[in-house]
Amino acid sequence: MSDDKFIMFTNRLEKVYRHLGKQAKRLGVSCYRLYDHDLPEFPFCIEVYEQNIYVAEYRRRHGMSEEEHDDWVEKSIELICKILKVKKENIYLKLRQRKPGRLGQYQKTGERKAEFIVEENGLRFIVNLSDYLDTGLFLDHRVTREKVKVEAKDKKVLNLFSYTGSFSVNGAAGKASEVVTVDLSKTYLDWAQRNMQLNGYADPAKYKFIHADVLQYLNTVSKNSFDLIILDPPTFSNSKRMEDILDIQRDHVTLINDCLLILSQGGKIYFSTNYKKFILDAKSIQSGSINDITKQTTPFDFEGKINRVCYLIEK
């Protein structure tokens, strides 16, 4: 790749780092997205997690030989280190479509610690920058998490498709009377429990963790059981442990209506999806109050490039 292209990448990265870094500092945010495929020649997602940098390369047909690609990545990493003023050992690179080759030093090894504790809105979370497809903290929901924290006081909170439980932690921090965390993945449910314990929320009478298929679980819950529900399902899931296949466009009405059944009068559902072609079938949802809050829940580092929608649905 020509030096001109690397100069373009340098200029772009310097510009966004100067701009977003300043905003992050002013807002007291230590984990944020810096760059997301801004230039087609450099298809990276770059996220800052305090002193560590997560770099993921998007799949594409790059037309380079393996050696050329390795050299291109090497040079890109050097530029990222220089601009962000970090050492190479603080860079966690994810080459999603390739096996570790010469770039093995950027992959997780037995000696490297992949887990770190980071802070957001005064709460602590475990992130893992090398072992999984995602880091453990979806940065685009930073504002939504804060909303849940503000809303949760004395409420019974249900976090469905909970992932690593960051919404559960915010519910507990907002003084919820009960927080129930549900996920089909034992790995993520354990992670959620560790996140809760890390923040001092360990009372099993108040904080429950349920290993279940959400679609099946909803049928077991009594009416009016919860005051606040977080519903952030995957776009599609056909896990062997699920009885049904989940397709969010097809199934969102059933999911939301099932949640409305177990919601108390005056209760709220925060529903979101990152399916790019998603269309909400509002007419079929049994609620008189559905508000698109995508814009007001979009953090500063995702402005103009958010790839999810978020709705507040009330009963």
Side-chain angles (χ1 to χ4, degrees):
M1 190 176 284
S2 70
D3 286 347
D4 286 353
K5 301 283 188 191
F6 282 107
I7 290 166
M8 277 171 57
F9 181 54
T10 301
N11 291 340
R12 178 65 189 168
L13 200 55
E14 281 178 343
K15 185 182 176 185
V16 293
Y17 185 48
R18 195 163 53 239
H19 173 61
L20 294 175
K22 202 179 285 180
Q23 279 186 277
K25 200 170 182 182
R26 183 171 58 80
L27 294 166
V29 171
S30 62
C31 303
Y32 60 96
R33 182 165 293 183
L34 181 61
Y35 174 101
D36 192 11
H37 210 160
D38 296 27
L39 302 172
E41 298 90 345
F42 293 86
F44 293 117
C45 170
I46 304 173
E47 293 178 343
V48 175
Y49 288 86
E50 298 183 356
Q51 75 278 18
N52 296 299
I53 311 298
Y54 171 82
V55 180
E57 182 190 354
Y58 290 113
R59 270 169 218 244
R60 57 162 182 159
R61 288 200 182 108
H62 50 63
M64 291 182 260
S65 69
E66 192 160 335
E67 195 164 324
E68 285 168 340
H69 181 261
D70 286 355
D71 289 341
W72 170 80
V73 171
E74 185 86 39
K75 197 167 179 182
S76 298
I77 292 294
E78 282 172 8
L79 282 172
I80 293 166
C81 288
K82 187 181 173 186
I83 294 160
L84 274 54
K85 298 180 177 63
V86 296
K87 294 176 180 175
K88 271 188 182 177
E89 54 262 36
N90 292 91
I91 299 275
Y92 284 79
L93 177 67
K94 197 154 286 177
L95 295 172
R96 290 182 175 175
Q97 83 284 26
R98 298 169 66 82
K99 292 174 183 172
R102 274 178 41 207
L103 297 162
Q105 71 265 38
Y106 301 121
Q107 305 291 333
K108 184 197 171 211
T109 65
E111 297 80 53
R112 291 191 69 185
K113 186 170 167 56
E115 281 194 356
F116 306 95
I117 292 169
V118 296
E119 203 168 289
E120 180 191 89
N121 291 330
L123 299 169
R124 301 168 82 207
F125 299 95
I126 299 159
V127 296
N128 185 317
L129 305 187
S130 63
D131 292 3
Y132 305 97
L133 190 60
D134 295 298
T135 65
L137 193 62
F138 289 133
L139 301 180
D140 63 320
H141 269 307
R142 188 186 309 119
V143 178
T144 328
R145 284 191 281 272
E146 182 70 7
K147 280 186 171 294
V148 166
K149 187 178 172 184
V150 170
E151 290 276 346
K153 190 167 169 46
D154 300 327
K155 303 258 174 56
K156 290 186 175 181
V157 177
L158 176 63
N159 184 10
L160 299 169
F161 304 99
S162 67
Y163 187 44
T164 59
S166 54
F167 276 109
S168 301
V169 173
N170 276 273
K175 298 189 168 67
S177 59
E178 182 183 20
V179 180
V180 177
T181 305
V182 185
D183 203 279
L184 187 59
S185 164
K186 194 75 170 65
T187 300
Y188 289 137
L189 204 62
D190 289 345
W191 194 335
Q193 193 159 4
R194 288 167 65 213
N195 272 332
M196 289 284 275
Q197 289 168 347
L198 181 65
N199 289 278
Y201 306 120
D203 181 353
K206 281 180 77 172
Y207 310 118
K208 300 180 178 76
F209 300 87
I210 295 173
H211 181 221
D213 170 0
V214 167
L215 304 179
Q216 306 305 316
Y217 168 78
L218 288 171
N219 296 325
T220 69
V221 184
S222 307
K223 289 182 179 179
N224 308 312
S225 291
F226 293 97
D227 310 303
L228 185 60
I229 297 175
I230 298 99
L231 180 60
D232 185 21
T235 298
F236 181 83
S237 180
N238 62 348
S239 167
K240 288 174 187 171
R241 287 166 295 171
M242 284 178 70
E243 287 191 25
D244 305 303
I245 291 171
L246 173 70
D247 176 325
I248 196 56
Q249 183 59 64
R250 182 194 68 199
D251 299 328
H252 74 277
V253 169
T254 303
L255 257 178
I256 293 167
N257 284 339
D258 283 354
C259 286
L260 283 163
L261 276 176
I262 65 170
L263 195 67
S264 60
Q265 200 58 44
K268 296 180 178 182
I269 298 169
Y270 282 99
F271 166 69
S272 67
T273 174
N274 58 5
Y275 178 43
K276 288 176 184 174
K277 297 177 182 176
F278 182 76
I279 298 165
L280 187 80
D281 182 3
K283 287 180 183 174
S284 303
I285 292 168
Q286 290 155 11
S287 164
S289 177
I290 302 172
N291 290 300
D292 186 336
I293 58 167
T294 305
K295 197 172 180 183
Q296 69 188 80
T297 58
T298 299
F300 71 93
D301 44 328
F302 285 84
E303 280 172 11
K305 49 188 176 186
I306 197 85
N307 66 351
R308 61 141 176 88
V309 289
C310 190
Y311 294 90
L312 175 59
I313 300 165
E314 297 178 72
K315 186 171 179 179

